[in-house]
Amino acid sequence: MTVTRNLSLRALFEDDAWRIAVIGGCLALPFTTATYVQTGDNIGLEAVFYGGLLAGYLYESGPTDRSRVATRVGLIGALPMLWLCFDTMVIIGTETASPLPFLAVAAIFMVLFTALGFWLSVVVAMLGAWVGDWIRGTVGRIRLPMISH
């Protein structure tokens, strides 16, 4: 039995999990980008928490699906980490006073730091989704016309 997946944008946005993840992630993205632009070396993840909160509030499903949506929100919201990594790699690449093994170790640490940043962003979004799910269970949910459940 062969399983084929339709990876078109239309098919993705017909799925509530993707639609809500993109909404939460895209709401967080400008704020995480702004914190990096303002500081030059920091990325604030507060907006990722709120994006996860919104996703957890809007998405009605089990905890596994909620964490999958929160993971997507965290990954989208943390995209400025790639910009930070690129900027740092440019600095490492243009460094001429340090020995090559030191620069290689610095580049490896930067890649690991970027992966850790994405992981932390996913954890923050999952915490937000958990709070959003709790709020929906306590207060109730407002139905939005674009989300059919």
Side-chain angles (χ1 to χ4, degrees):
M1 174 186 245
T2 304
V3 177
T4 59
R5 292 186 149 194
N6 185 359
L7 295 177
S8 70
L9 284 178
R10 183 179 181 156
L12 284 178
F13 285 108
E14 287 175 357
D15 178 21
D16 281 347
W18 269 108
R19 188 174 24 238
I20 291 171
V22 168
I23 290 170
C26 286
L27 286 175
L29 186 59
F31 296 102
T32 55
T33 303
T35 59
Y36 178 62
V37 169
Q38 289 174 349
T39 63
D41 61 356
N42 254 344
I43 294 180
L45 297 179
E46 299 89 357
V48 173
F49 175 82
Y50 292 116
L53 188 139
L54 180 66
Y57 179 78
L58 293 177
Y59 192 69
E60 285 186 66
S61 192
T64 304
D65 291 335
R66 184 181 61 243
S67 65
R68 190 173 45 129
V69 170
T71 299
R72 294 170 184 171
V73 169
L75 292 175
I76 293 169
L79 284 175
M81 292 274 182
L82 296 176
W83 188 6
L84 173 71
C85 181
F86 177 77
D87 285 350
T88 306
M89 290 295 198
V90 167
I91 292 170
I92 291 170
T94 57
E95 179 65 37
T96 59
S98 299
L100 188 59
F102 175 77
L103 296 176
V105 169
I108 290 169
F109 274 118
M110 191 59 222
V111 170
L112 292 174
F113 176 76
T114 303
L116 179 66
F118 273 100
W119 176 82
L120 184 61
S121 179
V122 167
V123 169
V124 167
M126 284 188 184
L127 289 172
W130 179 74
V131 171
D133 186 46
W134 176 80
I135 290 172
R136 185 188 69 239
T138 304
V139 178
R141 181 169 174 256
I142 299 169
R143 298 263 181 207
L144 296 176
M146 66 181 176
I147 300 170
S148 60
H149 253 187

